[in-house]
Amino acid sequence: MRYEMTKDLETGNALIDSEHRQLFKAVNDLLDACSQGKGRSQVESTLDFLVSYVAKHFGDEEKLQVQTSYPGYAAHRQFHEWYKGELAVTARDIKTQGASIAALNSLNQMVGKLLMHIRTDDRKVAQHVRQS
């Protein structure tokens, strides 16, 4: 399954939407590398990029929230911290156990949680930023 930026995922904020596209590209690149039996180093470097980029993206979102006094900042940041931790565990599992069906299923579940977060919470943030 490939992840694409669909209308229901667009927030209307150029920075947030651009970073979401980059996240989807990184996940798609990782899934492609795994399905094509690419070398462990490519999988690991893609995982490292994904974990790093998620942290950068969440930081950018949080900065917007602080700048605009977003009332849901604490809960949003709490999700971000939880997600970064879970993603790190998933990445570690793929690195140590290989791209097993279970590990890739875990990654897909993580992406699913991110999609729900984008559809609900990130869209609220973007609306708040536009109105500020």
Side-chain angles (χ1 to χ4, degrees):
M1 170 180 190
R2 296 194 60 80
Y3 295 98
E4 304 294 333
M5 189 71 163
T6 54
K7 280 285 186 202
D8 64 317
L9 296 172
E10 290 179 2
T11 66
N13 181 285
L15 175 65
I16 293 172
D17 288 344
S18 171
E19 290 182 349
H20 288 162
R21 283 185 186 88
Q22 282 296 111
L23 288 171
F24 296 157
K25 181 183 180 325
V27 170
N28 289 333
D29 288 349
L30 176 61
L31 294 174
D32 289 346
C34 292
S35 70
Q36 296 168 8
K38 298 281 175 120
R40 186 177 211 62
S41 63
Q42 182 174 347
V43 170
E44 288 187 10
S45 65
T46 305
L47 280 167
D48 290 343
F49 172 80
L50 183 59
V51 169
S52 173
Y53 199 79
V54 162
K56 177 217 181 306
H57 168 63
F58 286 171
D60 289 344
E61 277 188 5
E62 290 170 14
K63 184 176 174 184
L64 283 172
Q65 292 174 54
V66 169
Q67 289 172 343
T68 61
S69 301
Y70 180 62
Y73 171 74
H76 204 106
R77 186 173 193 291
Q78 184 177 10
F79 172 84
H80 285 172
E81 292 303 311
W82 171 83
Y83 192 89
K84 288 187 291 187
E86 291 296 309
L87 183 60
V89 169
T90 300
R92 184 196 68 221
D93 290 349
I94 294 172
K95 287 179 181 182
T96 58
Q97 301 167 13
S100 67
I101 291 172
L104 293 179
N105 183 46
S106 180
L107 178 64
N108 279 318
Q109 289 177 2
M110 291 299 302
V111 174
K113 290 174 184 168
L114 181 62
L115 293 174
M116 290 300 297
H117 176 74
I118 292 168
R119 279 187 186 105
T120 57
D121 300 314
D122 285 356
R123 291 182 73 159
K124 289 177 188 174
V125 170
Q127 181 179 6
H128 176 80
V129 169
R130 278 193 305 273
Q131 294 173 346
S132 295

